[in-house]
Amino acid sequence: MTTSAPAREPETVRSQRRRAVVASTVGTAIEWYDFFLYGTAAALVFPHLFFPGQSTYAGVLASFGTQFVGFAARPIGAAIFGHFGDRVGRKSTLVVTLMLMGVSTFLIGLLPSYESIGFAAPLLLVFLRVVQGIGVGGEWGGSVLLSMEWGSKRRRGLMASWPQLGVPLGLIASTGMVQLTGAATGDGFESWGWRIPFLASFVLIGIGLYVRLRVLESPAFQEVKQEREVVRMPVLRVLRDQPREVLTSAFVRLSEQAPFYLFITFVLTYGTEEVGLPKEELLRDTLIAAAVGLVSVPVWGYISDLLGRRLTYGIGIACVGVFAFPYFAMLDSGSSGLVLIAIVLSLFFHDIQYGPQAALIAESFGANVRYSGAGLGYQLASVIAGGPAPLIAAAILENYGSSTGISWYIIACCVLALAALVLMPRGDADPGTTIPEGGGAAAEKPTEPTETAETTADKPTEEPGGEAVTKEP
């Protein structure tokens, strides 16, 4: 009786595991391409096109303000899609988030400027940015869970880190597209060339849908459905039973997300306006740093499987805090070599946290509320960290004329994140388990039959001989 499951494992589990990793990583990369593209354009182009007639500082502030709106919308997306991800499934929910993100990015590429339609232009920009934020807010939880829940318990850190590669991949793709388009269109980039990378998103949607539709639902969610443990209101349940896990998941990201958006978006404004560096050089350095992340993110995810999630993450917090002052000192030198080293090291230290982060957060929640709990905790950080970070940095620079205050801001984020890491409840939830009443996120027996959105693609895991795929013996 014990020989049939191992015989099927190479054929079914391993192939689906690979598909889940590819589907999660590719789809997430496309969504982050869309999201980062806006951040790059907000720093280089949007102040002149959508907020003309203002000072440089006011235009940059207004442009980063619309970027913040997208961050503020991300917890809303996490709540909406977390609900459906925990009730209908990870796979189908991820298809919707991909479509939402891609279409909104494509439409930004068609937006008329302020000169053409006046105040309606920035209003439409804000609306589409909100849609972007909702889409990416629902994306992270599902992509991480689809990969992690197909993996083994011993390799959660590594499996959950693969979708995190969507960030450096998206950063490389968006920055590379801006560079290529800028070189091809020359002086026309700020008037019409900037639209090309946004319009290209339509092609990427098709690629993402192809890889995501080929993967089966995760075994953990299949088991939740089979055991009839689908929670009727997962968002409310996780907020009621696990508020500490949700809040510490958000605050532990202060040292990762806030500095990250200073390192990839604010640096473009700071480097060009304050230091006088060419934007092409900064974009090239960012590309190199993102390429390093393709290796460092999964490596640190794997290391967290060996050293432990908390120790690895704590090392990353300390590195970012210690590097806060040297980072700006190297930028201010104006030396091309030092600027490159500063940008590469900043993202490398970020990756020490980002590699194990997905598993660190997701392990705190049971499978029946994991999409909602992990997604909410992760995306709430956007409101307190990533969203306001460029605004705070720009305000500090305008009022004090120095980067010293920005360095202290980074250090403050690291101190708060370290406190959250210490206070964070230890999560040992197995990818295929649910958390009962009184022990965190509770499982609730639904009165209705199993979800109607179940598709025939989910059936192979229920066939004879396939129990090892969906349930622990």
Side-chain angles (χ1 to χ4, degrees), residues 12 55 84 91 113 153 161 203 217 240 243-244 264 266 286 325 328 369 374 404 407 413 418 425 440-441 447:
T12 56
S55 66
F84 290 105
K91 174 185 171 180
S113 66
K153 182 177 180 179
S161 71
V203 178
E217 185 57 82
R240 186 194 74 184
R244 183 175 166 186
I264 67 163
F266 179 75
T286 304
F325 278 100
F328 281 102
V369 293
T404 301
S407 296
C413 288
L418 190 59
T447 55

Side-chain angles (χ1 to χ4, degrees), residues 107-428:
L107 291 177
I108 289 176
L110 299 177
L111 270 184
S113 66
Y114 186 92
E115 289 185 358
S116 301
I117 60 174
F119 194 64
L123 284 180
L124 288 172
L125 183 67
V126 169
F127 171 75
L128 291 175
R129 183 59 174 174
V130 169
V131 177
Q132 270 194 331
I134 291 174
V136 81
E139 163 69 22
W140 180 87
S143 62
V144 164
L145 299 190
L146 193 63
S147 181
M148 189 182 87
E149 291 176 350
W150 268 108
S152 66
K153 182 177 180 179
R154 295 183 304 109
R155 293 289 178 262
R156 290 183 202 163
L158 177 62
M159 291 299 293
S161 71
W162 288 117
Q164 303 285 72
L165 282 181
V167 168
L169 284 171
L171 186 57
I172 289 171
S174 61
T175 306
M177 276 293 289
V178 170
Q179 272 198 308
L180 288 174
T181 307
T185 58
D187 294 337
F189 178 76
E190 293 194 3
S191 58
W192 62 272
W194 66 271
R195 299 179 183 275
I196 296 174
F198 285 89
L199 297 176
S201 178
F202 197 73
V203 178
L204 298 178
I205 295 175
I207 299 173
L209 287 176
Y210 172 76
V211 295
R212 286 201 165 165
L213 290 173
R214 296 178 69 240
V215 69
L216 299 179
E217 185 57 82
S218 82
F221 185 74
Q222 286 279 17
E223 185 171 349
V224 168
K225 291 196 297 184
Q226 289 168 8
E227 298 296 327
R228 298 178 62 83
E229 291 177 331
V230 174
V231 176
R232 193 181 297 276
M233 300 294 288
V235 174
L236 295 179
R237 179 62 61 85
V238 79
L239 289 176
R240 186 194 74 184
D241 292 348
Q242 293 184 278
R244 183 175 166 186
E245 284 86 344
V246 172
L247 290 176
T248 52
S249 295
F251 276 90
V252 82
R253 297 196 65 211
L254 276 170
S255 59
E256 173 266 319
Q257 197 189 42
F260 177 72
Y261 282 96
L262 300 183
F263 297 155
I264 67 163
T265 57
F266 179 75
V267 68
L268 300 177
T269 300
Y270 183 85
T272 54
E273 302 292 336
E274 299 297 321
V275 185
L277 296 169
K279 71 177 181 181
E280 292 79 14
E281 179 180 324
L282 292 169
L283 290 171
R284 181 202 65 205
D285 293 347
T286 304
L287 272 175
I288 295 172
V292 172
L294 297 179
V295 177
S296 58
V297 169
V299 164
W300 285 109
Y302 174 74
I303 290 174
S304 76
D305 286 326
L306 304 176
L307 301 181
R309 230 73 73 200
R310 290 167 180 269
L311 176 58
T312 307
Y313 201 90
I315 292 172
I317 293 175
C319 288
V320 171
V322 169
F323 193 58
F325 278 100
Y327 172 73
F328 281 102
M330 295 168 79
L331 291 181
D332 292 339
S333 71
S335 167
S336 296
L338 288 177
V339 169
L340 171 62
I341 293 172
I343 292 176
V344 170
L345 283 179
S346 68
L347 291 189
F348 179 79
F349 293 148
H350 159 270
D351 295 344
I352 300 176
Q353 300 170 78
Y354 204 61
Q357 187 181 85
L360 175 72
I361 293 175
E363 284 172 338
S364 299
F365 305 93
N368 53 347
V369 293
R370 187 174 290 141
Y371 202 134
S372 300
L376 275 175
Y378 185 89
Q379 300 300 352
L380 280 173
S382 302
V383 180
I384 60 175
L391 290 170
I392 292 172
I396 291 173
L397 189 62
E398 174 68 14
N399 290 318
Y400 298 101
S402 168
S403 62
T404 301
I406 304 174
S407 296
W408 281 116
Y409 166 62
I410 292 175
I411 292 173
C413 288
C414 291
V415 171
L416 290 172
L418 190 59
L421 184 64
V422 172
L423 295 172
M424 195 177 198
R426 292 191 176 273
D428 297 311

